PDB file of all heavy atoms in Angstrom:
ATOM      1  N   PHE A 678      39.779  -7.030  26.121  1.00 92.00           N
ATOM      2  CA  PHE A 678      38.869  -5.883  26.090  1.00 92.00           C
ATOM      3  C   PHE A 678      37.427  -6.348  26.309  1.00 92.00           C
ATOM      4  O   PHE A 678      36.914  -7.129  25.526  1.00 92.00           O
ATOM      5  CB  PHE A 678      38.964  -5.161  24.755  1.00 92.00           C
ATOM      6  CG  PHE A 678      40.296  -4.481  24.547  1.00 92.00           C
ATOM      7  CD1 PHE A 678      41.281  -5.067  23.767  1.00 92.00           C
ATOM      8  CD2 PHE A 678      40.568  -3.260  25.142  1.00 92.00           C
ATOM      9  CE1 PHE A 678      42.492  -4.452  23.558  1.00 92.00           C
ATOM     10  CE2 PHE A 678      41.775  -2.624  24.947  1.00 92.00           C
ATOM     11  CZ  PHE A 678      42.760  -3.222  24.166  1.00 92.00           C
ATOM     12  N   PRO A 679      36.771  -5.850  27.345  1.00 93.00           N
ATOM     13  CA  PRO A 679      35.341  -6.116  27.543  1.00 93.00           C
ATOM     14  C   PRO A 679      34.538  -5.449  26.453  1.00 93.00           C
ATOM     15  O   PRO A 679      35.081  -4.677  25.636  1.00 93.00           O
ATOM     16  CB  PRO A 679      35.045  -5.499  28.910  1.00 93.00           C
ATOM     17  CG  PRO A 679      36.396  -5.254  29.547  1.00 93.00           C
ATOM     18  CD  PRO A 679      37.338  -5.037  28.414  1.00 93.00           C
ATOM     19  N   PRO A 680      33.226  -5.707  26.372  1.00 92.00           N
ATOM     20  CA  PRO A 680      32.390  -5.121  25.299  1.00 92.00           C
ATOM     21  C   PRO A 680      32.509  -3.604  25.147  1.00 92.00           C
ATOM     22  O   PRO A 680      32.572  -3.101  24.043  1.00 92.00           O
ATOM     23  CB  PRO A 680      30.976  -5.549  25.679  1.00 92.00           C
ATOM     24  CG  PRO A 680      31.160  -6.816  26.437  1.00 92.00           C
ATOM     25  CD  PRO A 680      32.446  -6.656  27.191  1.00 92.00           C
ATOM     26  N   LEU A 681      32.531  -2.886  26.258  1.00 94.00           N
ATOM     27  CA  LEU A 681      32.649  -1.418  26.195  1.00 94.00           C
ATOM     28  C   LEU A 681      34.075  -0.937  26.403  1.00 94.00           C
ATOM     29  O   LEU A 681      34.324   0.255  26.589  1.00 94.00           O
ATOM     30  CB  LEU A 681      31.728  -0.766  27.244  1.00 94.00           C
ATOM     31  CG  LEU A 681      30.218  -0.892  26.958  1.00 94.00           C
ATOM     32  CD1 LEU A 681      29.416  -0.203  28.024  1.00 94.00           C
ATOM     33  CD2 LEU A 681      29.871  -0.324  25.574  1.00 94.00           C
ATOM     34  N   GLY A 682      35.016  -1.859  26.355  1.00 93.00           N
ATOM     35  CA  GLY A 682      36.410  -1.498  26.343  1.00 93.00           C
ATOM     36  C   GLY A 682      36.985  -1.131  27.713  1.00 93.00           C
ATOM     37  O   GLY A 682      36.327  -1.251  28.750  1.00 93.00           O
ATOM     38  N   LEU A 683      38.227  -0.642  27.686  1.00 94.00           N
ATOM     39  CA  LEU A 683      38.935  -0.210  28.880  1.00 94.00           C
ATOM     40  C   LEU A 683      39.135   1.299  28.809  1.00 94.00           C
ATOM     41  O   LEU A 683      39.537   1.841  27.782  1.00 94.00           O
ATOM     42  CB  LEU A 683      40.297  -0.906  28.947  1.00 94.00           C
ATOM     43  CG  LEU A 683      40.269  -2.420  29.097  1.00 94.00           C
ATOM     44  CD1 LEU A 683      41.670  -2.998  29.016  1.00 94.00           C
ATOM     45  CD2 LEU A 683      39.597  -2.825  30.403  1.00 94.00           C
ATOM     46  N   ALA A 684      38.833   1.971  29.905  1.00 95.00           N
ATOM     47  CA  ALA A 684      38.914   3.428  29.973  1.00 95.00           C
ATOM     48  C   ALA A 684      40.357   3.891  29.741  1.00 95.00           C
ATOM     49  O   ALA A 684      41.298   3.344  30.319  1.00 95.00           O
ATOM     50  CB  ALA A 684      38.370   3.935  31.289  1.00 95.00           C
ATOM     51  N   ARG A 685      40.488   4.901  28.929  1.00 95.00           N
ATOM     52  CA  ARG A 685      41.818   5.468  28.663  1.00 95.00           C
ATOM     53  C   ARG A 685      41.926   6.916  29.139  1.00 95.00           C
ATOM     54  O   ARG A 685      42.997   7.368  29.505  1.00 95.00           O
ATOM     55  CB  ARG A 685      42.119   5.413  27.160  1.00 95.00           C
ATOM     56  CG  ARG A 685      42.187   4.040  26.563  1.00 95.00           C
ATOM     57  CD  ARG A 685      43.200   3.159  27.221  1.00 95.00           C
ATOM     58  NE  ARG A 685      43.482   1.958  26.466  1.00 95.00           N
ATOM     59  CZ  ARG A 685      44.048   0.879  26.960  1.00 95.00           C
ATOM     60  NH1 ARG A 685      44.385   0.829  28.261  1.00 95.00           N
ATOM     61  NH2 ARG A 685      44.268  -0.174  26.214  1.00 95.00           N
ATOM     62  N   ALA A 686      40.832   7.665  29.087  1.00 95.00           N
ATOM     63  CA  ALA A 686      40.902   9.076  29.457  1.00 95.00           C
ATOM     64  C   ALA A 686      39.529   9.631  29.730  1.00 95.00           C
ATOM     65  O   ALA A 686      38.506   9.039  29.337  1.00 95.00           O
ATOM     66  CB  ALA A 686      41.582   9.874  28.348  1.00 95.00           C
ATOM     67  N   GLN A 687      39.487  10.769  30.398  1.00 94.00           N
ATOM     68  CA  GLN A 687      38.281  11.542  30.590  1.00 94.00           C
ATOM     69  C   GLN A 687      38.499  12.898  29.947  1.00 94.00           C
ATOM     70  O   GLN A 687      39.483  13.584  30.251  1.00 94.00           O
ATOM     71  CB  GLN A 687      37.953  11.703  32.080  1.00 94.00           C
ATOM     72  CG  GLN A 687      36.665  12.488  32.341  1.00 94.00           C
ATOM     73  CD  GLN A 687      36.494  12.851  33.791  1.00 94.00           C
ATOM     74  OE1 GLN A 687      37.482  13.092  34.487  1.00 94.00           O
ATOM     75  NE2 GLN A 687      35.264  12.903  34.267  1.00 94.00           N
ATOM     76  N   LEU A 688      37.579  13.286  29.064  1.00 93.00           N
ATOM     77  CA  LEU A 688      37.721  14.553  28.357  1.00 93.00           C
ATOM     78  C   LEU A 688      36.688  15.551  28.846  1.00 93.00           C
ATOM     79  O   LEU A 688      35.503  15.220  28.993  1.00 93.00           O
ATOM     80  CB  LEU A 688      37.531  14.335  26.834  1.00 93.00           C
ATOM     81  CG  LEU A 688      38.455  13.289  26.172  1.00 93.00           C
ATOM     82  CD1 LEU A 688      38.168  13.191  24.697  1.00 93.00           C
ATOM     83  CD2 LEU A 688      39.906  13.642  26.409  1.00 93.00           C
ATOM     84  N   HIS A 689      37.137  16.756  29.069  1.00 92.00           N
ATOM     85  CA  HIS A 689      36.267  17.862  29.505  1.00 92.00           C
ATOM     86  C   HIS A 689      35.450  17.492  30.749  1.00 92.00           C
ATOM     87  O   HIS A 689      34.364  18.021  30.954  1.00 92.00           O
ATOM     88  CB  HIS A 689      35.328  18.258  28.370  1.00 92.00           C
ATOM     89  CG  HIS A 689      36.030  18.720  27.127  1.00 92.00           C
ATOM     90  ND1 HIS A 689      36.716  19.913  27.068  1.00 92.00           N
ATOM     91  CD2 HIS A 689      36.182  18.129  25.905  1.00 92.00           C
ATOM     92  CE1 HIS A 689      37.249  20.041  25.854  1.00 92.00           C
ATOM     93  NE2 HIS A 689      36.941  18.976  25.125  1.00 92.00           N
TER      94      HIS A 689
END
Side-chain angles (χ1 to χ4, degrees):
F678 293 100
L681 291 181
L683 297 174
R685 298 302 194 198
Q687 181 191 33
L688 304 180
H689 301 290

